[in-house]
Amino acid sequence: MLNNEDFASDVQEEANIIVLTDDEGNDVEFEFLDTVEYEGNEYIVLMENVEDTEEVIILKIENLDDENENYVGVDDEETLNAVFKIFKERFKDEFNFTDEA
């Protein structure tokens, strides 16, 4: 559902919680985990703010201007895996990653 949607970033931020609005107008809370640069692009790494959720969501950051940006789903599996690998390396001591991803 969320992987292929564009998200507006005119969002509310509290601590590490970001509320994104999908293209259907639904607000979804995420925990901000990291920003990763890969091949000249920036990606945001999020986890849906739902109890017992362990799924990471990676969205590409598209800057609209100096103050606004959009988050766009990434369809390229190779890019997703590369960004996730960078994220896992940075946080290997903070999270218990499984070999599935």
Side-chain angles (χ1 to χ4, degrees):
M1 170 183 146
L2 298 172
N3 296 16
N4 296 318
E5 305 290 338
D6 289 349
F7 296 93
S9 72
D10 114 299
V11 298
Q12 310 159 12
E13 290 188 45
E14 293 179 18
N16 286 335
I17 302 300
I18 297 175
V19 179
L20 299 180
T21 303
D22 67 18
D23 63 350
E24 296 176 3
N26 301 312
D27 289 344
V28 183
E29 284 191 5
F30 294 92
E31 179 179 355
F32 170 82
L33 300 177
D34 197 16
T35 301
V36 174
E37 187 171 328
Y38 176 71
E39 292 190 347
N41 294 302
E42 283 190 299
Y43 298 87
I44 189 168
V45 182
L46 306 169
M47 183 180 300
E48 193 166 357
N49 192 25
V50 177
E51 200 170 305
D52 298 328
T53 297
E54 297 179 3
E55 184 176 332
V56 169
I57 296 171
I58 297 170
L59 300 170
K60 182 178 176 183
I61 300 172
E62 291 187 345
N63 291 316
L64 300 176
D65 55 41
D66 290 342
E67 296 179 16
N68 296 302
E69 54 191 30
N70 274 342
Y71 303 112
V72 181
V74 179
D75 292 328
D76 182 46
E77 196 73 28
E78 188 175 313
T79 299
L80 288 172
N81 288 334
V83 171
F84 189 59
K85 182 177 179 180
I86 294 167
F87 171 76
K88 286 188 342 182
E89 182 61 30
R90 285 185 187 166
F91 290 92
K92 64 185 176 191
D93 295 331
E94 295 182 42
F95 293 104
N96 185 18
F97 295 103
T98 62
D99 291 335
E100 294 175 17

